[in-house]
Amino acid sequence: MRLGGDTIAAVATPLGAGGVGILRISGPDAASILAQVTNTSVDGLRDRYFEYGHVQQDGRRLDEVLFVLMRGPRSFTGEDVAEIHGHGGAANVAELLRCVIAAGARHADPGEFTRRAFENNRIDLTRAEAIADIVNASSAKALRVAQEQLAGSLGGIVNSLIASVVDLTAEIEAGIDFPEDGLSDIERTKQCKQANDAAQHCLELAASFGVGRVLRDGVDVVLRGAVNAGKSSLFNALVGRERSIVASDAGTTRDYVEAQVVWDGLAITLVDTAGIRSASEAESIEGQGIEMGAARAEQADLELFVVSSGDDAEIAESARTMIVRSKCDLPASSDSSVGLATSAKAGTGLEELKRAILERVTGGASESAEGCVVTNERQRARLEAAGGFLQAAAGLVERNAPAELTIVELGAARNCLAEITGEEVGDEMLDALFARFCIGK
């Protein structure tokens, strides 16, 4: 990513038909470029005040617009930022952007506006990542978590942990400077507890990544089972509409069918797959569908293995597999206690199944923990590493090891925590992180 004293511009709204299209400009020449394309004077541009006018190029009127200048450092990027609000539509917005580029701006790279905000200390890295999560949020819970992160919930916790590690390091370093005072058992116990408490906090946050990932990305739930087990009927009942074809003929479902639902604020993709039967019974196309369904199940977060009531399950329950009995409204050939009983026709057990799915994919995490969950692998890995270093430091204190060794472990823990907020992070990692952002953010 290119960073420097140049001025960047990009479309900040999705391309396509729409009521309004917004262009964003940031950099030292934002005010002069805005004045040029709107045929106004820089001195006449009031700070944070929307003006009405027209974008013009070579005397030709391009669009009727509203425009605003937000002077730095009180702006999102910390630089002068201008916005032009014109009529929506891909052709019109592209024409406005070409006009701004011709006036002296350059096309922004993906995530460059947010990167400039980070580089200018307007936000830390946890809040920068939260912006991307807000844009990509697929459910109400995912949005709430991202908004909490943007408000600084995780960054605040991490900064508190850093402060605790720094305080402990200073205390131990003081013991090196004044070795004649020694370290009492009470002081050693206190230092050991402080390191262990910080380690526990780090590891608990790292463990929240399981539910954080689910909230951010949603989950895939695949229905599998033998032919005529009732998968498609159950799939339609869970979706709430006729999405998959249901028929008594074996092999009706040839390919997998997907549908998106939101349960309790969590985005879930349900996948109906071809019924399983031997290769000798299945047609060649149906056989390919069975293989595709098996591959889809391998990638899923959870597999619902559907069996008709009275039939034996061909697979055992596991962390990724849940057995579900269908058609429980019909007389069963034998009693079975395996799996959750459901009936797509009568609606029996559907709410219980939904709750069981949510419990399984979230690990039973409560909603009250959402504000403090970790939502990406980078954060999880650094927290886990910091926890390990802090545990090592606690062990050294407990064994009365040389203080210099303990300080090394504490320094490593602090660096891991500082990487989460972006205080200790290299350009290569920042380039990779912000490259995943959309242009205009």
Side-chain angles (χ1 to χ4, degrees), residues 16 20 84 127 217 226 238 245 262 268 380 418:
V20 177
I84 299 173
R127 295 177 66 190
D217 299 335
L238 292 173
I245 298 174
V262 176
I268 295 178
R380 184 209 65 78

Side-chain angles (χ1 to χ4, degrees), residues 303-307 313 315-317 321-325 338-340:
E303 175 186 8
L304 300 185
F305 197 87
V306 183
V307 296
I315 192 169
E317 285 255 6
T321 303
M322 182 186 301
I323 297 175
V324 180
R325 283 186 290 132
V338 177
L340 181 64

Side-chain angles (χ1 to χ4, degrees), residues 244 252-257 272-274 285 289-290 292-293:
S244 194
T252 300
T253 304
R254 302 294 185 93
D255 196 356
Y256 61 77
V257 180
D272 184 24
T273 62
I285 296 178
I290 294 171
M292 291 173 64

Side-chain angles (χ1 to χ4, degrees), residues 6 39 41 96 125 128 160 204 206 213 291-293 303 388 391 428:
D6 51 357
N39 196 29
S41 68
L96 294 176
L125 209 51
S160 295
E204 286 176 356
R213 182 196 65 81
E291 292 178 3
M292 291 173 64
E303 175 186 8
Q391 286 177 330
E428 185 175 341

Side-chain angles (χ1 to χ4, degrees), residues 164-165 167-172 183-199 390 393-398 406 410:
S164 178
V165 173
D167 288 346
L168 180 57
T169 303
E171 187 175 329
I172 294 174
L183 192 66
S184 68
D185 291 341
I186 293 176
E187 289 172 324
R188 183 178 295 108
T189 300
K190 175 189 171 186
Q191 291 178 2
C192 187
K193 182 179 185 303
Q194 189 172 347
N196 273 322
D197 286 349
L390 286 165
L396 290 169
V397 171
E398 189 175 20
T406 305
L410 292 174

Side-chain angles (χ1 to χ4, degrees), residues 14 24 94 114 147 177 185 235 288 312 338 350 368 373 377 403 419 437:
R24 180 174 291 159
T114 306
Q147 289 286 10
D177 294 336
D185 291 341
F235 172 84
Q288 293 179 39
D312 293 328
V338 177
L350 296 183
S368 62
V373 300
E377 175 61 27
E419 286 182 29
F437 281 55

